[in-house]
Amino acid sequence: DMAVTVYDIQTYRMTDADIAPWRETPVAVAVDLSVDIGQIDPAIRPLMPAGRQPRLFGRAVTAQCVPPDFGAVVHALDQIQAGDVLMISAAGNRDFAMIGDVLGGHLRRIGCVGIVCDGAVRDVGMLAQWADFSVYLRFITPRGPQSAEKGVVNGPVVIGGQIVHPGDLVIGDDDGLAVLSAHAVRTHLNGALEKLKKEAGWMESLAAGRSAAETFGLKA
């Protein structure tokens, strides 16, 4: 008797054209723009060391788990489209892994770009070998789930202190993770492009031998 609730996302699903301009934006630039760009708790860390973590960029499919039950993760597999990110909310549980290489491998095969787990993941030796699949997690633990009968797919979830709605844009790099609603994606794009331009200008100015005070417009 399965009691996993699966919501069909009829909400506004951003198109590739909507999100494409954000593809190269560093997380640091995004979160500096506004508090309504949600920075996810840095305790949810990249699996790979800095310089080796695949960049994460895609739309959220959410799974609300009740460890040791991972029913929402299993049901979420059938909701994933190419370019999506599986966002697993597991209440920061460290005792039971909500996903490993079997389901992770299936997700990768169907075009999912990565996993963010506010909880535990296992089989990380295999997950770490996939340069096209990005994993962020709070804990690594060997013990697996014990049932698959509970949870919610594609409801709003809290991950690392941020509310994530299905369809939100998730971006991740070596510095961490941010989540952007459709509204934030539209509202802050110009700000992101301006910030990148400004940073390029600073680097140019310093390389040209100008003082830091002059470069950043500080009074001596």
Side-chain angles (χ1 to χ4, degrees), residues 104-127:
H106 175 72
L107 286 168
R108 179 178 174 234
R109 246 189 332 272
I110 62 177
C112 179
V113 294
I115 299 162
V116 175
C117 183
D118 193 345
V121 173
R122 68 176 176 178
D123 306 322
V124 292
M126 180 61 79
L127 297 176

Side-chain angles (χ1 to χ4, degrees), residues 76-150:
L77 299 184
D78 296 328
Q79 302 300 317
I80 292 275
Q81 298 178 28
D84 286 346
V85 179
L86 179 58
M87 303 291 285
I88 303 170
S89 177
N93 180 285
R94 69 170 71 212
D95 298 321
F96 300 94
M98 293 291 98
I99 196 160
D101 62 359
V102 175
L103 300 190
H106 175 72
L107 286 168
R108 179 178 174 234
R109 246 189 332 272
I110 62 177
C112 179
V113 294
I115 299 162
V116 175
C117 183
D118 193 345
V121 173
R122 68 176 176 178
D123 306 322
V124 292
M126 180 61 79
L127 297 176
Q129 292 177 42
W130 300 337
D132 56 353
F133 192 78
S134 187
V135 178
Y136 289 78
L137 42 74
R138 197 180 279 275
F139 299 111
I140 297 168
T141 206
R143 189 185 304 278
Q146 296 181 343
S147 61
E149 295 165 5
K150 298 175 186 158

Side-chain angles (χ1 to χ4, degrees), residues 54-80:
R55 186 171 164 77
L56 183 62
F57 183 88
R59 302 172 193 85
V61 167
T62 64
Q64 176 75 58
C65 293
V66 189
D69 189 287
F70 79 138
V73 170
V74 179
H75 284 266
L77 299 184
D78 296 328
Q79 302 300 317
I80 292 275

Side-chain angles (χ1 to χ4, degrees), residues 11 32 47 78 94 115 165 216:
T11 53
D32 278 353
L47 173 60
D78 296 328
R94 69 170 71 212
I115 299 162
H165 292 92
F216 295 106

Side-chain angles (χ1 to χ4, degrees), residues 105-217:
H106 175 72
L107 286 168
R108 179 178 174 234
R109 246 189 332 272
I110 62 177
C112 179
V113 294
I115 299 162
V116 175
C117 183
D118 193 345
V121 173
R122 68 176 176 178
D123 306 322
V124 292
M126 180 61 79
L127 297 176
Q129 292 177 42
W130 300 337
D132 56 353
F133 192 78
S134 187
V135 178
Y136 289 78
L137 42 74
R138 197 180 279 275
F139 299 111
I140 297 168
T141 206
R143 189 185 304 278
Q146 296 181 343
S147 61
E149 295 165 5
K150 298 175 186 158
V152 179
V153 178
N154 279 334
V157 294
V158 176
I159 291 185
Q162 291 296 333
I163 293 183
V164 180
H165 292 92
D168 282 355
L169 175 61
V170 182
I171 60 174
D173 58 23
D174 291 317
D175 286 339
L177 291 158
V179 58
L180 291 82
S181 66
H183 177 75
V185 163
R186 288 193 302 269
T187 309
H188 296 297
L189 178 61
N190 286 343
L193 297 174
E194 275 165 34
K195 181 75 194 293
L196 288 169
K197 200 167 143 189
K198 189 186 275 189
E199 286 189 354
W202 290 337
M203 287 187 275
E204 214 172 280
S205 174
L206 291 168
R210 285 193 200 88
S211 72
E214 188 186 347
T215 295
F216 295 106

